[in-house]
Amino acid sequence: MGETPDEWDNHAIGLIGAVDCGGAGRDICAREDIGPLPSLKYGDPDSLEFYGGGAELEELRGFARENLVEFCSADSIRIKNCSGEETALIATFQAMTTKELDDEIKSMEETIESAKSRFTTEAEKLNELYSDLLEAKEKVVAGAESNGLSLMKEVRETAVSGHGP
Protein backbone atom coordinates (compact mmCIF):
# COMPACT_ATOMS: atom_id res chain seq x y z
CA MET A 1 0.00 0.00 0.00
CA GLY A 2 1.27 3.49 -0.78
CA GLU A 3 1.82 6.22 1.73
CA THR A 4 -1.22 7.33 3.68
CA PRO A 5 -1.94 10.91 4.64
CA ASP A 6 -0.54 11.87 8.07
CA GLU A 7 -4.03 12.98 9.14
CA TRP A 8 -4.94 9.29 9.65
CA ASP A 9 -2.05 8.48 11.98
CA ASN A 10 -3.56 7.65 15.41
CA HIS A 11 -6.98 8.92 14.26
CA ALA A 12 -9.71 8.56 16.90
CA ILE A 13 -12.31 6.93 14.64
CA GLY A 14 -10.62 6.19 11.31
CA LEU A 15 -7.99 3.79 10.08
CA ILE A 16 -6.22 3.33 6.78
CA GLY A 17 -4.69 -0.10 6.58
CA ALA A 18 -3.72 -2.88 4.20
CA VAL A 19 -4.49 -6.58 4.33
CA ASP A 20 -2.44 -9.24 2.53
CA CYS A 21 -5.20 -11.43 1.10
CA GLY A 22 -2.67 -13.97 -0.16
CA GLY A 23 -1.02 -14.40 3.22
CA ALA A 24 -1.83 -13.80 6.85
CA GLY A 25 -4.94 -11.73 6.04
CA ARG A 26 -6.64 -14.48 4.02
CA ASP A 27 -9.38 -15.04 6.67
CA ILE A 28 -10.14 -11.31 6.92
CA CYS A 29 -10.40 -11.05 3.11
CA ALA A 30 -12.75 -14.02 2.94
CA ARG A 31 -14.95 -12.68 5.75
CA GLU A 32 -15.09 -9.16 4.27
CA ASP A 33 -15.47 -10.33 0.63
CA ILE A 34 -12.29 -8.55 -0.44
CA GLY A 35 -10.95 -9.74 -3.78
CA PRO A 36 -7.52 -9.54 -5.37
CA LEU A 37 -7.96 -5.93 -6.50
CA PRO A 38 -7.55 -3.01 -4.10
CA SER A 39 -10.71 -2.52 -2.05
CA LEU A 40 -11.81 0.26 0.23
CA LYS A 41 -14.34 -0.46 2.93
CA TYR A 42 -15.78 1.77 5.63
CA GLY A 43 -18.32 1.83 8.44
CA ASP A 44 -19.08 -0.37 11.39
CA PRO A 45 -16.20 -2.85 11.78
CA ASP A 46 -18.82 -5.58 12.21
CA SER A 47 -20.61 -4.63 8.99
CA LEU A 48 -18.19 -2.90 6.60
CA GLU A 49 -19.48 -1.46 3.32
CA PHE A 50 -17.63 -1.10 0.01
CA TYR A 51 -16.64 2.42 -1.03
CA GLY A 52 -17.74 3.22 -4.58
CA GLY A 53 -16.45 6.76 -5.07
CA GLY A 54 -13.45 8.23 -6.80
CA ALA A 55 -9.87 7.19 -6.14
CA GLU A 56 -8.21 10.60 -6.09
CA LEU A 57 -6.89 11.67 -2.69
CA GLU A 58 -9.15 14.74 -2.48
CA GLU A 59 -12.24 12.61 -3.30
CA LEU A 60 -11.24 10.15 -0.60
CA ARG A 61 -10.63 12.95 1.91
CA GLY A 62 -14.03 14.49 1.18
CA PHE A 63 -15.73 11.12 1.56
CA ALA A 64 -13.87 10.47 4.81
CA ARG A 65 -14.82 13.86 6.25
CA GLU A 66 -18.50 13.24 5.52
CA ASN A 67 -18.76 9.54 6.32
CA LEU A 68 -16.11 8.51 8.82
CA VAL A 69 -17.88 9.56 11.96
CA GLU A 70 -18.55 7.86 15.25
CA PHE A 71 -21.46 5.53 14.66
CA CYS A 72 -24.24 3.95 16.63
CA SER A 73 -23.90 0.28 17.47
CA ALA A 74 -25.47 -2.09 19.97
CA ASP A 75 -22.10 -2.84 21.54
CA SER A 76 -21.45 -1.24 24.92
CA ILE A 77 -18.63 0.97 23.59
CA ARG A 78 -20.57 2.61 20.76
CA ILE A 79 -24.10 2.77 22.18
CA LYS A 80 -23.23 6.22 23.56
CA ASN A 81 -23.20 7.44 19.93
CA CYS A 82 -26.84 6.44 19.39
CA SER A 83 -29.77 8.81 19.28
CA GLY A 84 -32.70 8.25 21.62
CA GLU A 85 -34.64 6.67 18.77
CA GLU A 86 -31.76 4.29 17.94
CA THR A 87 -31.32 3.38 21.60
CA ALA A 88 -35.03 2.54 21.86
CA LEU A 89 -34.80 0.41 18.70
CA ILE A 90 -31.78 -1.45 20.12
CA ALA A 91 -33.71 -2.08 23.35
CA THR A 92 -36.63 -3.48 21.33
CA PHE A 93 -34.28 -5.83 19.46
CA GLN A 94 -32.51 -6.88 22.66
CA ALA A 95 -35.89 -7.87 24.13
CA MET A 96 -36.51 -10.25 21.22
CA THR A 97 -35.49 -13.90 21.26
CA THR A 98 -32.82 -15.13 18.86
CA LYS A 99 -35.53 -16.92 16.86
CA GLU A 100 -37.62 -13.74 16.65
CA LEU A 101 -34.55 -11.81 15.47
CA ASP A 102 -33.70 -14.53 12.93
CA ASP A 103 -37.28 -14.53 11.61
CA GLU A 104 -37.38 -10.74 11.37
CA ILE A 105 -33.97 -10.57 9.68
CA LYS A 106 -35.01 -13.29 7.22
CA SER A 107 -38.26 -11.48 6.45
CA MET A 108 -36.49 -8.16 5.84
CA GLU A 109 -33.80 -9.80 3.70
CA GLU A 110 -36.49 -11.55 1.64
CA THR A 111 -38.26 -8.20 1.17
CA ILE A 112 -35.00 -6.65 -0.01
CA GLU A 113 -34.31 -9.54 -2.40
CA SER A 114 -37.85 -9.26 -3.75
CA ALA A 115 -37.38 -5.53 -4.35
CA LYS A 116 -34.03 -6.15 -6.07
CA SER A 117 -35.56 -8.85 -8.25
CA ARG A 118 -38.51 -6.64 -9.18
CA PHE A 119 -36.12 -3.79 -9.96
CA THR A 120 -34.04 -6.03 -12.23
CA THR A 121 -37.12 -7.35 -14.03
CA GLU A 122 -38.63 -3.89 -14.53
CA ALA A 123 -35.27 -2.41 -15.56
CA GLU A 124 -34.95 -5.11 -18.21
CA LYS A 125 -38.43 -4.21 -19.48
CA LEU A 126 -37.44 -0.53 -19.57
CA ASN A 127 -34.26 -1.40 -21.46
CA GLU A 128 -36.31 -3.37 -24.00
CA LEU A 129 -38.78 -0.48 -24.32
CA TYR A 130 -35.88 1.98 -24.70
CA SER A 131 -34.35 -0.18 -27.44
CA ASP A 132 -37.70 -0.45 -29.25
CA LEU A 133 -38.31 3.31 -29.01
CA LEU A 134 -34.77 4.10 -30.17
CA GLU A 135 -35.14 1.78 -33.14
CA ALA A 136 -38.52 3.32 -34.05
CA LYS A 137 -37.09 6.85 -33.78
CA GLU A 138 -34.09 5.94 -35.93
CA LYS A 139 -36.43 4.51 -38.60
CA VAL A 140 -38.46 7.75 -38.64
CA VAL A 141 -35.30 9.88 -38.88
CA ALA A 142 -33.84 7.66 -41.61
CA GLY A 143 -37.16 7.77 -43.48
CA ALA A 144 -37.26 11.56 -43.35
CA GLU A 145 -33.66 11.79 -44.53
CA SER A 146 -34.27 9.31 -47.37
CA ASN A 147 -37.27 11.39 -48.46
CA GLY A 148 -35.01 14.40 -48.93
CA LEU A 149 -35.37 16.31 -45.66
CA SER A 150 -31.82 17.71 -45.86
CA LEU A 151 -32.27 18.75 -49.48
CA MET A 152 -35.65 20.27 -48.69
CA LYS A 153 -34.07 22.37 -45.91
CA GLU A 154 -31.31 23.54 -48.27
CA VAL A 155 -33.82 24.56 -50.96
CA ARG A 156 -35.88 26.45 -48.38
CA GLU A 157 -32.80 28.26 -47.01
CA THR A 158 -31.76 29.19 -50.51
CA ALA A 159 -35.25 30.52 -51.29
CA VAL A 160 -35.42 32.54 -48.05
CA SER A 161 -31.97 34.04 -48.51
CA GLY A 162 -32.82 35.08 -52.08
CA HIS A 163 -29.97 33.14 -53.64
CA GLY A 164 -32.16 30.56 -55.32
CA PRO A 165 -33.75 30.31 -58.73
Side-chain angles (χ1 to χ4, degrees), residues 17-87:
V19 179
D20 177 10
C21 291
R26 184 171 288 141
D27 291 343
I28 293 170
C29 293
R31 182 181 68 236
E32 297 300 334
D33 193 29
I34 298 173
L37 298 177
S39 300
L40 179 61
K41 296 186 91 174
Y42 70 98
D44 182 339
D46 296 325
S47 182
L48 293 173
E49 299 177 48
F50 278 101
Y51 167 74
E56 296 298 321
L57 185 57
E58 283 310 310
E59 293 171 302
L60 291 166
R61 278 189 174 132
F63 177 83
R65 278 187 217 105
E66 289 180 28
N67 294 280
L68 297 185
V69 296
E70 293 189 33
F71 56 90
C72 171
S73 176
D75 73 35
S76 60
I77 296 170
R78 294 188 187 98
I79 201 158
K80 69 182 185 304
N81 300 324
C82 299
S83 69
E85 184 177 310
E86 290 168 324
T87 303

Side-chain angles (χ1 to χ4, degrees), residues 99-119:
K99 181 175 180 352
E100 290 171 327
L101 287 167
D102 288 342
D103 290 347
E104 195 64 30
I105 290 167
K106 181 180 177 187
S107 174
M108 288 181 166
E109 287 176 342
E110 287 172 351
T111 299
I112 290 169
E113 284 306 311
S114 176
K116 287 179 179 179
S117 177
R118 180 169 182 255
F119 172 81

